[in-house]
Amino acid sequence: MSDDAAPWLIVGLGNPGSEYAGNRHNIGFMVVDLLAERIGGKFKAHKARAQVVEGRMGPPGPANRRVVLAKPMSFMNLSGGPVTALRDFYKVPLERIVAVHDELDIDYPTLRLKLGGGDNGHNGLKSMTKSMGADYHRVRCGIGRPPGRMQVADFVLKDFSSTERKELDWFVDRAADSVECLVSEGLERAQSAYNG
């Protein structure tokens, strides 16, 4: 399969299970859930320990892309295993992999898109980079830093606050738009349109 025929693999990072569904750490899942809704797909279990939706994204014509949306069903710190298995299964080049994840060092609700880089202490990215290398795209959804003396682990595993929830739908919607732009029009265009 030529690289051009290869799909994009869009990975929402999060933890499986209903008790985590509204957590800040699960914003990646929220974004790929919305993308699945937009392309009219339902998640199905995949042997790579992930849930996937296959479909097409973008306007009709040459910018229309094959995509695989994925939610690893391992815990966050083991995301690399399922993502690598999906990459191999769908024969996806590394530069067509997009990780959608929460980011502590960016204020809520700000987006930043980039290619490659460090993991910034994010266990999902750490696991993916260890398995595959760092040269994949990231859609970084800012959640800000924990207030006061709250531990980072407690903060990311808490649901968004009532104040944050007022903007959450808009934020998830905008993050989904940025993924579509990245896939159809490329990183530079998506960065200039969406980077806050």
Side-chain angles (χ1 to χ4, degrees):
M1 174 158 53
S2 80
D3 266 10
D4 217 39
W8 283 74
L9 174 59
I10 296 151
V11 181
L13 291 178
N15 285 309
S18 56
E19 68 272 33
Y20 298 107
N23 288 180
R24 292 182 178 92
H25 223 16
N26 272 41
I27 195 162
F29 275 17
M30 297 172 198
V31 174
V32 292
D33 282 341
L34 178 58
L35 288 166
E37 211 176 285
R38 288 182 181 183
I39 66 173
K42 291 255 184 285
F43 280 97
K44 295 183 178 67
H46 189 280
K47 65 182 183 187
R49 283 188 313 148
Q51 289 189 349
V52 300
V53 172
E54 297 179 48
R56 300 195 78 85
M57 185 181 280
N64 191 261
R65 304 274 187 254
R66 260 183 78 211
V67 294
V68 178
L69 305 174
K71 296 192 288 188
M73 290 289 108
S74 61
F75 280 95
M76 179 73 88
N77 58 339
L78 301 171
S79 302
V83 177
T84 304
L86 290 170
R87 177 200 67 181
D88 295 347
F89 182 85
Y90 290 105
K91 301 181 172 52
V92 181
L94 193 54
E95 67 277 5
R96 284 204 181 178
I97 296 175
V98 182
V100 185
H101 63 91
D102 58 307
E103 177 64 66
L104 288 160
D105 285 339
I106 300 173
D107 289 338
Y108 180 84
T110 305
L111 286 174
R112 297 258 171 81
L113 286 78
K114 69 174 189 173
L115 175 63
D119 57 56
N120 228 4
H122 191 289
N123 288 332
L125 297 181
K126 202 175 284 184
S127 178
M128 282 179 62
T129 297
K130 191 174 168 195
S131 296
M132 304 184 302
D135 292 329
Y136 52 89
H137 287 89
R138 294 99 190 277
V139 173
R140 304 156 74 206
C141 303
I143 59 168
R145 284 258 159 213
R149 297 186 173 184
M150 188 189 287
Q151 294 297 309
V152 164
D154 295 334
F155 179 69
V156 299
L157 293 176
K158 279 203 179 349
D159 287 2
F160 286 96
S161 70
S162 54
T163 311
E164 288 169 333
R165 278 200 294 273
K166 291 179 182 140
E167 292 181 290
L168 186 59
D169 286 349
W170 172 85
F171 190 31
V172 168
D173 199 56
R174 188 169 161 77
D177 290 347
S178 78
V179 171
E180 290 179 349
C181 183
L182 169 63
V183 167
S184 299
E185 301 180 55
L187 180 61
E188 280 183 26
R189 173 82 190 85
Q191 284 175 325
S192 65
Y194 294 98
N195 273 13

